[in-house]
Amino acid sequence: MVEKSTKEVRRKIVDNYLNFIGGEWIDSKDGITNTQVNPANPSQIVGYTAAATVEEVDTAVQQAKLAFQQWKQLSPVGRGEILRKAADLLEAQSQDIAETATKEMGKRFIEMKGEVLRGAAILRYYAQEGMRKLGEVLPSANNQNTLYTLRVPLGVISVITPWNFPVAIPIWKIAPALVYGNTVVWKPSMEAGITAVKIAKVFEQAGLPAGVLNLVNGSGEIVGNALVEHPLTSAITFTGSNRVGRELASKAVAQNKKYQLELGGKNPVVVLEDADLDLAAKLTVEGAMKQTGQRCTATSRVYVEASIYDMFIEKLLENVTQIKVGDGLDGSVTMGPVASKKQFETVTSYIQKGIEEGAELLYGGNALYDPVYNGGYFVEPTIFASVTNEMTIAREEIFGPVLAVIKVADYADALTQANDTIYGLSASLFTTNLNKAFDFIKNSEVGMVQINGETGGAEPQAPFGGMKESSSGTREQGQAAMEFFTAYKTVSLTTSL
Ligand code: UN1
């Protein structure tokens, strides 16, 4: 959660987190800082980050462009070695980084700790990627020709990341960008600015040469725009809202820059009568409520066959009533606050809309104002039953702990309704029927499909991304990342002997 503060206020504060430009830690030239506030206790200031100016963004891009000339000459194996060191350092600092992120954006410490370790695993994966193939030999019509492809870096990449995975998402963009030989200017979300500073420090300590990774904190309007519009950046990778994604894409197209967007989701679960209902109920509630529902892969709709509808509702209730809401630094808490006042207002307004449009409020629905909650941005885990696909809560991404339960006649009805959305990130089917499982794999309109699994989650080696309006079509992570972060160079080498 972020507020603006002036130079005078900031000068009194010791803990000020700077921008990282050309290998130097630089204070904001015009003295503007962002105040990071704990969403579990908004009276608690976590620290201040320096907001970069347009001029500082320009310097960062210039430095990245300069560093690119050297960095691309280093072997991919050598670049990977730096990532491997960064993985070890990140792991060693996981306690502090996880705690910082919990205070800054509210995600439970235990979830954050897992995420930091996931960041280390992604770094290790891409460290090895420096040893894998970077091209293919092709047959040529002329037998004197050796025809082959190389994968070459693009140049300076603009990396723009959200607050909900303040460690893993930046790393799964930055690590492949770097190992394939690009340099980076990174603008994290303002809600995760201090965590970003700590990650940039990890890369610095790992021995990354000056200018290869630059960090510019600040707003999307000023810093993000300056970065995307800068003529020396070659590509933009962005995870965030559909609205911002669309704006970035049109700017990228106007300048013929490559772009990669990972946007929203409205991920469905389908539960059939032959399924393991205990497992389905457990993973549906986890999918919806983990990280307080603030994942683009969160479960937000569940389609349940009429024959088991009442029984499944009971099982959902058994699971959701176990959830304890509170400050994520407290180990007994199982759901933290939403990340900011803005999120709080959005989520509570969707709950209101659900009630107004006639959905049955089965569980939760309230904001938690009790003094125990310190005025923090806490919302109860919320389940609506008797939802129809036309209702707003079944159509729009809420990005909060709200689940819509929808009764369907049978599998075919469920599939039609699950696909009836502009989004296409992930979908999950619970069944023991092989035919229906394969049919769902074939016909659900998503980038990631689960059978008897939760809608969220990602492994570093597997492609991540969506269809329809959830993504620009490229994939992140695994070797799929190479498609975005490199360009083909086709080589024809002719000999005469
Ligand atoms: C996960 O489900 O663990 O912003 C990863 C998001 C996604 C990442 C989800 N891009 O929520």
Side-chain angles (χ1 to χ4, degrees):
M1 158 68 192
V2 172
E3 284 157 16
K4 290 265 176 212
S5 79
T6 61
K7 193 172 194 164
E8 293 68 44
V9 177
R10 178 167 53 85
R11 289 288 172 241
K12 294 184 207 132
I13 309 293
V14 193
D15 235 0
N16 189 22
Y17 296 93
L18 308 182
N19 292 308
F20 190 48
I21 300 174
E24 308 276 335
W25 291 93
I26 313 251
D27 204 349
S28 172
K29 223 173 236 113
D30 67 9
I32 300 292
T33 56
N34 309 306
T35 307
Q36 309 298 118
V37 169
N38 184 345
N41 183 352
S43 63
Q44 195 182 89
I45 291 170
V46 188
Y48 299 81
T49 53
T53 59
V54 170
E55 202 186 331
E56 284 153 355
V57 174
D58 176 53
T59 311
V61 175
Q62 303 273 3
Q63 289 292 322
K65 187 76 187 173
L66 206 65
F68 176 62
Q69 300 311 325
Q70 306 296 320
W71 182 244
K72 68 176 180 183
Q73 304 300 342
L74 194 66
S75 89
V77 179
R79 293 194 292 253
E81 183 54 21
I82 296 176
L83 297 188
R84 192 196 56 73
K85 283 190 193 137
D88 293 346
L89 289 161
L90 186 68
E91 201 167 84
Q93 294 170 38
S94 59
Q95 193 77 11
D96 175 56
I97 294 178
E99 211 175 285
T100 301
T102 296
K103 287 186 189 151
E104 200 172 28
M105 45 63 77
K107 192 192 289 194
R108 289 190 307 131
F109 174 76
I110 195 157
E111 288 173 333
M112 257 333 299
K113 185 82 189 281
E115 185 186 332
V116 178
L117 298 179
R118 179 171 171 179
I122 296 167
L123 281 165
R124 292 201 174 99
Y125 176 84
Y126 283 108
Q128 291 299 309
E129 187 62 13
M131 294 183 185
R132 293 190 196 104
K133 67 171 184 170
L134 278 173
E136 286 168 335
V137 180
L138 302 156
S140 168
N142 175 356
N143 225 20
Q144 293 296 105
N145 272 2
T146 305
L147 185 62
Y148 66 99
T149 61
L150 287 174
R151 292 291 198 150
V152 294
L154 304 173
V156 179
I157 314 280
S158 307
V159 171
I160 303 182
T161 55
W163 47 261
N164 68 328
F165 283 90
V167 178
I169 291 180
I171 288 179
W172 83 45
K173 293 178 187 291
I174 292 168
L178 296 184
V179 81
Y180 297 128
N182 303 283
T183 56
V184 167
V185 183
W186 172 29
K187 191 207 96 62
S189 154
M190 294 221 284
E191 280 83 356
I194 299 176
T195 308
V197 166
K198 294 194 172 185
I199 295 170
K201 286 202 166 132
V202 162
F203 280 101
E204 183 189 24
Q205 289 158 9
L208 202 66
V212 172
L213 171 66
N214 304 273
L215 168 70
V216 282
N217 260 311
S219 69
E221 292 75 38
I222 297 171
V223 177
N225 272 338
L227 194 51
V228 169
E229 285 173 357
H230 200 293
L232 294 182
T233 58
S234 302
I236 302 150
T237 174
F238 169 81
T239 297
S241 72
N242 284 56
R243 184 187 60 78
V244 174
R246 205 165 287 178
E247 277 172 32
L248 293 184
S250 58
K251 285 182 178 153
V253 168
Q255 296 180 65
N256 197 27
K257 287 179 183 173
K258 216 171 169 180
Y259 64 91
Q260 173 179 58
L261 312 173
E262 282 306 327
L263 309 170
K266 193 71 195 165
N267 314 294
V269 160
V270 174
V271 184
L272 301 184
E273 61 183 7
D274 59 51
D276 176 341
L277 296 187
D278 289 323
L279 180 75
K282 178 175 176 286
L283 296 187
T284 300
V285 170
E286 274 181 27
M289 308 304 171
K290 219 188 244 176
Q291 276 190 223
T292 321
Q294 300 172 120
R295 295 185 297 164
C296 61
T297 50
T299 305
S300 58
R301 303 175 285 153
V302 54
Y303 296 92
V304 187
E305 268 193 310
S307 54
I308 48 148
Y309 183 82
D310 291 341
M311 199 196 308
F312 190 69
I313 292 275
E314 285 309 310
K315 290 185 189 291
L316 284 178
L317 284 171
E318 275 165 31
N319 281 277
V320 77
T321 47
Q322 308 291 317
I323 293 175
K324 182 182 166 199
V325 180
D327 186 332
L329 284 177
D330 173 349
S332 71
V333 158
T334 52
M335 198 177 99
V338 295
S340 63
K341 187 160 188 262
K342 186 166 158 256
Q343 278 299 113
F344 179 81
E345 282 162 2
T346 308
V347 172
T348 47
S349 79
Y350 272 113
I351 294 173
Q352 199 46 44
K353 220 169 251 170
I355 295 168
E356 281 164 19
E357 291 182 11
E360 174 197 344
L361 182 59
L362 191 70
Y363 188 78
N366 298 304
L368 298 167
Y369 294 112
D370 193 274
V372 173
Y373 296 102
N374 285 319
Y377 305 121
F378 294 99
V379 184
E380 285 177 329
T382 299
I383 301 184
F384 282 104
S386 307
V387 176
T388 66
N389 244 29
E390 291 68 45
M391 291 180 186
T392 309
I393 55 168
R395 304 210 74 78
E396 295 181 14
E397 183 178 47
I398 300 174
F399 225 65
V402 182
L403 175 69
V405 192
I406 300 164
K407 193 191 281 187
V408 289
D410 54 20
Y411 167 70
D413 185 16
L415 179 68
T416 307
Q417 295 205 50
N419 282 339
D420 173 25
T421 169
I422 60 166
Y423 294 107
L425 190 56
S426 70
S428 170
L429 171 69
F430 286 87
T431 186
T432 51
N433 182 311
L434 199 59
N435 292 327
K436 287 174 182 163
F438 270 98
D439 187 78
F440 192 73
I441 292 167
K442 240 190 260 168
N443 293 314
S444 60
E445 297 165 354
V446 292
M448 295 174 294
V449 54
Q450 305 264 356
I451 305 296
N452 300 317
E454 197 226 284
T455 52
E459 293 195 49
Q461 70 279 18
F464 180 97
M467 303 197 14
K468 293 154 93 175
E469 290 190 33
S470 286
S471 160
S472 57
T474 59
R475 291 291 179 264
E476 300 189 286
Q477 303 205 77
Q479 288 198 292
M482 191 194 287
E483 291 295 328
F484 180 72
F485 288 108
T486 66
Y488 272 115
K489 185 174 275 186
T490 305
V491 184
S492 171
L493 188 155
T494 310
T495 51
S496 55
L497 266 188

